[in-house]
Amino acid sequence: MQLDDLYRRVIMDHYKNPRNRGSFEGESVSIDLNNPTCGDKIQLQMQIEEGKVKAAKFLGDGCSISLSSASMMTDAVKGKTLEEALQMADNFSGMMKGEPVEFEYEDLEALSGVNKFPARIKCATLAWNALRKGIEQAKH
Ligand code: ZN
């Protein structure tokens, strides 16, 4: 796939030097999801306190798109309220439909080019689907 050079560099940086890779020892929400069309797997763990994402970590295997998206997402949601995190997930879905979206966490915009490759959209949204499920779980 052909992505803009700068965007590709941001994606590869997150892929090679993932932020928040790992798991928590204490109590946390844990979600396992996979994307069978590509073979991507992710386990997302979140520490949620007082309606905020205190921290998020992930483990997983997969392509550069799925893992860089997980790296960015876990960084971007840190300290956000659950509502803000869900709004970010909605914005990300919008970006995957080609809508012009801006993020406070600008690295996410590097994944905007993925919308031109429909087969890869599930790679990019895997971590965000895990985020949505984790927030749902935390609310119950
Ligand atoms: Zn993938």
Side-chain angles (χ1 to χ4, degrees), residues 24 46-49 51-56 77-80 82:
F24 295 112
M46 291 193 288
Q47 291 183 321
I48 294 176
E49 276 180 21
K52 282 188 180 175
V53 181
K54 190 179 158 207
V77 299
K78 208 175 291 177
K80 300 292 177 195
L82 300 186

Side-chain angles (χ1 to χ4, degrees), residues 75-86:
D75 234 10
V77 299
K78 208 175 291 177
K80 300 292 177 195
T81 66
L82 300 186
E83 285 66 30
E84 286 167 340
L86 285 175

